[in-house]
Amino acid sequence: MKNGEIKVDIKEEDLIWQDKKRWILFGLPWTFTQYKLTPSRLIITKGWLSKRIDEIRLYRIRDLSYHQTLGERMSGLGCIHIVSNDATLPAFTIEKIKNSQKVKEILSQAIENSRRENGVRASELVGGGPVPPIDGFHD
């Protein structure tokens, strides 16, 4: 084995969805941001000369919201805002993608599946313990 060589067989996950961030003008994918969704991860790759790859495990995603400006509607694009429990990526947006409402539903289902497979309950995402009393009132 040579220096820098890795001898591990890593299984590639199947892609559920992938797209690139697009320009509002004509909805063309002339950007260097790519999104990939697998059954367990959302991967965001940005850059051309220098690259940044962010990855988030789906079971860590807490909330999804959808946004579409008038220009995006005219171009058939939309944005999905994501809030997570991930330390390095607590909130981010999947920007200007085609079929964005359908992608949001696919992502939502993949998140639920990932939570089930990893045994994550919704209470664990919020903090896990009992809710503290408000203004001194107790149950």
Side-chain angles (χ1 to χ4, degrees), residues 103-134:
V103 171
K104 181 185 171 288
E105 293 306 315
I106 291 168
L107 181 56
S108 182
Q109 187 62 51
I111 291 166
E112 289 304 314
N113 292 342
S114 181
R115 284 182 187 162
R116 248 189 322 263
E117 287 176 14
N118 288 285
V120 177
R121 296 185 316 253
S123 63
E124 292 172 351
L125 296 172
V126 178
V131 179
I134 301 172

Side-chain angles (χ1 to χ4, degrees), residues 69-89:
T69 65
L70 177 61
E72 289 167 346
R73 286 181 68 192
M74 291 171 51
S75 298
L77 307 175
C79 299
I80 303 168
H81 186 71
I82 298 173
V83 177
S84 77
N85 283 343
D86 191 79
T88 59
L89 207 58

Side-chain angles (χ1 to χ4, degrees), residues 1-15:
M1 194 144 119
K2 297 177 184 175
N3 286 340
E5 211 173 278
I6 299 174
K7 205 170 193 177
V8 176
D9 186 26
I10 299 174
K11 182 184 170 211
E12 286 286 322
E13 285 188 282
D14 294 331
L15 279 178

Side-chain angles (χ1 to χ4, degrees), residues 16 29-31 51 55 60-61 78 88 98-99 105 118 135:
I16 296 173
W30 290 339
T31 65
K51 249 186 191 179
E55 175 184 312
R60 292 180 177 252
I61 295 176
T88 59
K98 286 197 167 277
N99 303 311
E105 293 306 315
N118 288 285
D135 297 327

Side-chain angles (χ1 to χ4, degrees), residues 55-72:
E55 175 184 312
I56 184 163
R57 297 286 174 175
L58 295 181
Y59 67 84
R60 292 180 177 252
I61 295 176
R62 288 188 337 202
D63 191 38
L64 301 174
S65 61
Y66 176 78
H67 183 261
Q68 190 178 40
T69 65
L70 177 61
E72 289 167 346

